[in-house]
Amino acid sequence: CVSIADALLIQQPDALIRFIAVGASTSLFVSVNPILDLTSLPTDVVIDNPLSLMGNIRGKIVFIIDHYLLNNKEWLGRLRLLCPTALVFSFDDNEEGSTWPVCGLLRIGVSSKKDDLSEEVINNSAIGVEFFPIRSDADTAKYKSRAYDEIGNRVIVTLGGNDQEKYTERVVRALAEIPNALSFDIIFGPTADPKRAKAIIPDERFTFHNAPVNFLDLMSSAFLAICGGGNTCYEFMHFGVPMSVLALAKNQYCTCEAIQRKGYGHFLGYIEKMSAQDITKQIKIFISNSIKYRAMAEKSRRLIDGKG
C-alpha cells in the first residue's frame, strides 16, 4: 500500500493520501513516506460504518481497499450508496472480484489474468506484473551492479514478517542436510519472536538476522534466494537475484506456479504438502542448477522496473 501511495504521489503531488491500518497497529510500518497521513481504525468500526474511512477528507475521493479484510459485497455496496461519487478500487489477488461494485481491480503479479472481467472494469484496472510496485527505497541505482562471481556464495532465506507456522525452521533443517560450500543468511521478520533464532542449532554456515536494518543490502547482494510467494519474491526479481519460491499459503500458489512456468525462477512447492525429504530434494535441485537460475533472474530483473 505504501508503494502504491508513493507511485500516486509521483503522478499527483498535491493529493492527500490517508493510509489506514484497519485492525492493525501503525507501529508495524517502519518505513513510511512522511507525506502520508497514517492512522489506525478498529475493524468493527470500519465494517459498521464504511464512511469512517473518510475522516475529514473532502473533494474527489478514491478508495483502494484490501479485499482480504473487507471481502464483503454488501459492505462495498453500502459504501457506494453512502458515497456515490467516490471511486472504489480493490485488491483482487484471488481473482474473485468480477461481480464486486467497484470501478477497477488491482490484480498485480505474474499470474494475474483478465479472463472474467468486463471491458469497463478492465479499462480501469491494473492487471499484470508490470503494475507491481516496489517500495521506493529498493532502488537498484543505489546498488552497484556486480557480476555473479563477485557476489560470493551467500544464500538468503526469508519467509515473511512473522512466519508463525515456523516454516523458516523447516527450511533451515533441510539446508543443514545438504553438504555444500554455501553460506546462509536466515531472516526473521519484524514481528517474529527473536528467541526463535537462538533455538536453532545448525552449523557455522548459518547466520541469523532479526529484522535487519540492512535487509535490502542482504537481498541485493545474495547469490541465491529462498522466499515465499508474496511481495518479497518480486523484490528479488527486481534485484535480479535467482530465487526459489515456496507457496506458504493457498493464495501464493498461483504466483509460485507462474514464476516457474514463465521461466523467472524455481518453484519449491506448497509447503503444507511437502515432507522434510521433499524440501531437501527441491532445494538440492535449485542449488545445483544455479547457472540456469541466474539466466532466469536476469529475465525477471528486466520485467520488474520498480516503478509500478
Side-chain angles (χ1 to χ4, degrees), residues 3-4 7-8 11 108 126 129-134 304-308:
S3 301
I4 288 173
L8 290 172
Q11 297 295 324
I108 47 184
V129 74
E130 62 267 27
F131 294 100
F132 202 96
I134 300 294
I304 307 291
D305 65 5
K307 297 176 183 177

Side-chain angles (χ1 to χ4, degrees), residues 195-233:
K195 297 177 183 177
R196 286 170 58 185
K198 297 178 181 178
I200 305 175
I201 311 177
D203 54 57
E204 66 281 355
R205 296 175 296 164
F206 293 82
T207 302
F208 295 93
H209 307 265
N210 284 300
V213 294
N214 64 334
F215 182 47
L216 287 175
D217 291 298
L218 292 170
M219 290 182 72
S220 64
S221 61
F223 174 65
L224 300 171
I226 297 173
C227 64
N231 290 9
T232 307
C233 71

